Amino acid sequence: MGKASGEFQVFVKPAGAVCNLDCQYCYYRDKRSLYPDTGVFRMPDSLLEEYIVQHIEAASGPEIAFSWHGGEPTTLGVDFFRKAVELERRHKPAGWRIRNGIQTNGVLLDEEWCRFLAAEDFSIGLSLDGPAELHDAYRVTRGGRPSHRQAMGGYELLRKHGIPTDIVCVVHNLNVLHPLTVYRFFREIGCRHLGLLPAVERAPESAKGVGPYTPSAEAYGAFLRKIFDEWIERDTGRIAVQTFEEAARTALGMEHSLCVFRETCGRIPVLEHNGDFFPCDHYVDREHRLGNIRETPLGELLESRAQRTFGEAKRDTLPRYCRECETLAMCNGGCPKYRFIRTPDGEPGLNYLCAGLKGFFLHTRAPLARMASQRQGRTPAPRTARGKAGRNDPCPCGSGLKYKKCCGAR
């Protein structure tokens, strides 16, 4: 079947787009329409095993990560993931290590779930948009009711069981106006790793060209700058903020790890519940369906000409304005899905968030360079105040990166 030529991560959607919430800005909730004849969105056990086998065969090892996404994967119940872990153990090569992660809204988590997740060493990405009044503006149940209380209940259970939890905050048109309120909330609840994901929805029929939940580029940039200033003053080495991690990697002369800032993309494809393969989470549509793992092995799809062309187009279609930009190395044009506005000289293909991101990168460049210089003169620090640094803890050297991506990688 062949191995992939490099590292890859698959966002597996074992329940498709099925979700117990109805988040108003969600770009994935309408994907069920791709499968109008499907009654039950649940990856069959036979396909689950086939995928796990193919993923292991395509990986170079000795460590493999499985990433379970949705929709909401916990709607399948904990027994589905017990089966997945059993299959992983059955097919794992001797001496290799398998890690699992689930992206969840946290609403369905209970003691049974958390005992399982802790026992099997899962890591969790939890969607939480700040304090209740900002989270509940758009993250609501199918009946339109708030979800913050249930999400926080899930978060507290995860903490109780010692399960590594990254928080993913969607930055929309409301919480973007309250950067320090949002950031301080996460600090107060003990967040150790924070992702700030902008809600960008293209809506050509709108006068602004974007949907009502989308923050302006300038507001998003100001949001990042405000949080960065507080973070660098008091929280380096305590909280790892993903966007700041990526900016720090540039200062440290390291390659980006986050796909939106890498020069090319295509190494984080999507596998839908029925085995359909798509090049990216933002490109799950009929036009971008590249095959099905029941017909073409995963390794071949990862290395296919179509997948390579998709990934290289990010670099090859950059407008001149980007190619000549002083912050190109920091963003590489950003996510192609957001490249739908024109440059100042009228060329198409500029990222909607360009003005905000450029302002943020220019604002942070000097302080991050100073921090990088200090970090490079230090002896790697393997311990935090609480003991040995975990893989996903902020590195105690103060670089702003996770320990596993900094001193822990030495």
Side-chain angles (χ1 to χ4, degrees):
M1 291 187 183
K3 291 190 178 296
S5 60
E7 292 185 1
F8 65 91
Q9 179 183 7
V10 181
F11 280 1
V12 190
K13 313 276 189 174
V18 171
C19 188
N20 54 326
L21 296 187
D22 191 23
C23 302
Q24 299 303 292
Y25 52 63
C26 181
Y27 62 88
Y28 210 82
R29 61 178 178 165
D30 66 343
K31 302 305 180 183
R32 293 177 68 168
S33 64
L34 291 172
Y35 305 99
D37 300 325
T38 299
V40 178
F41 286 82
R42 182 186 182 91
M43 183 176 282
D45 287 353
S46 59
L47 179 58
L48 176 64
E49 182 167 18
E50 192 167 348
Y51 159 62
I52 288 171
V53 169
Q54 290 189 24
H55 188 127
I56 291 171
E57 289 180 342
S60 57
E63 187 168 288
I64 306 173
F66 286 90
S67 301
W68 307 97
H69 281 242
E72 176 52 44
T74 62
T75 59
L76 295 174
V78 69
D79 285 343
F80 178 90
F81 291 95
R82 288 193 176 104
K83 179 68 173 179
V85 169
E86 174 192 331
L87 291 169
E88 290 167 1
R89 287 201 183 101
R90 184 184 306 170
H91 296 288
K92 178 178 71 70
W96 285 29
R97 181 181 179 226
I98 289 181
R99 296 184 289 110
N100 284 278
I102 293 180
Q103 181 64 41
T104 178
N105 57 43
V107 169
L108 298 178
L109 297 179
D110 57 17
E111 286 286 348
E112 181 184 14
W113 261 110
C114 288
R115 284 193 297 270
F116 165 75
L117 296 171
E120 299 298 343
D121 199 25
F122 273 62
S123 59
I124 297 295
L126 180 71
S127 299
L128 197 61
D129 290 353
E133 65 273 16
L134 296 173
H135 174 99
D136 288 334
Y138 297 131
R139 295 191 65 81
V140 295
T141 67
R142 290 285 174 184
R145 298 182 64 81
S147 66
H148 190 266
R149 181 177 59 82
Q150 296 98 314
M152 285 300 298
Y155 176 66
E156 292 302 331
L157 281 171
L158 292 168
R159 290 190 49 156
K160 172 186 170 183
H161 287 267
I163 299 165
T165 302
D166 294 357
I167 290 179
V168 177
C169 171
V170 175
V171 183
H172 50 69
N173 66 313
L174 298 179
N175 61 4
V176 76
L177 303 176
H178 306 279
L180 295 183
T181 298
V182 170
Y183 179 66
R184 289 168 182 171
F185 167 78
F186 290 129
R187 184 170 61 211
E188 288 165 6
I189 67 171
C191 173
R192 299 284 286 167
H193 188 272
L194 177 62
L196 300 169
L197 181 68
V200 179
E201 175 194 20
R202 187 178 185 183
E205 69 280 1
S206 164
K208 295 182 178 180
V210 292
Y213 316 115
T214 302
S216 70
E218 293 76 11
Y220 181 63
F223 177 89
L224 293 176
R225 293 195 302 272
K226 283 278 191 183
I227 294 176
F228 176 85
D229 287 346
E230 179 144 333
W231 171 84
I232 201 165
E233 180 68 25
R234 58 174 294 173
D235 291 326
T236 59
R238 295 178 58 218
I239 301 174
V241 182
Q242 191 175 46
T243 307
F244 305 167
E245 281 191 323
E246 292 302 314
R249 292 180 77 87
T250 304
L252 290 163
M254 301 168 68
E255 185 178 1
H256 285 295
S257 62
L258 187 62
C259 64
V260 296
F261 295 136
R262 293 178 71 95
E263 185 179 36
T264 60
C265 55
R267 304 307 289 181
I268 309 181
V270 162
L271 190 74
E272 258 288 346
H273 69 288
N274 67 339
D276 281 350
F277 178 98
F278 299 88
C280 167
D281 195 47
H282 287 289
Y283 289 86
V284 177
D285 52 44
R286 290 185 177 87
E287 177 187 355
H288 289 93
R289 179 187 177 276
L290 301 187
N292 187 291
I293 65 165
R294 282 183 158 163
E295 301 161 357
T296 307
L298 178 65
E300 291 184 23
L301 289 167
L302 286 164
E303 297 301 314
S304 67
R305 180 180 295 275
Q307 182 72 355
R308 287 180 177 272
T309 299
F310 172 87
E312 292 168 357
K314 179 181 181 181
R315 175 197 60 215
D316 297 343
T317 60
L318 273 176
R320 185 178 66 178
Y321 180 80
C322 292
R323 296 196 304 271
E324 297 176 352
C325 179
E326 60 185 311
T327 64
L328 175 62
M330 304 185 85
C331 79
N332 286 298
C335 181
K337 191 67 173 180
Y338 303 158
R339 295 182 185 175
F340 54 80
I341 64 173
R342 292 183 177 272
T343 67
D345 59 1
E347 189 177 0
L350 184 65
N351 194 304
Y352 169 80
L353 296 171
C354 173
L357 287 172
K358 184 173 182 178
F360 163 73
F361 288 131
L362 289 174
H363 179 79
T364 61
R365 186 162 57 182
L368 286 175
R370 288 193 296 270
M371 189 169 70
S373 178
Q374 294 167 0
R375 183 261 188 189
Q376 289 168 339
R378 294 175 181 171
T379 301
R383 294 186 175 273
T384 66
R386 294 180 355 191
K388 188 176 186 298
R391 286 172 46 83
N392 293 304
D393 286 336
C395 191
C397 80
S399 67
L401 277 63
K402 286 187 178 181
Y403 177 65
K404 69 181 178 183
K405 296 178 181 177
C406 191
C407 293
R410 294 188 175 186

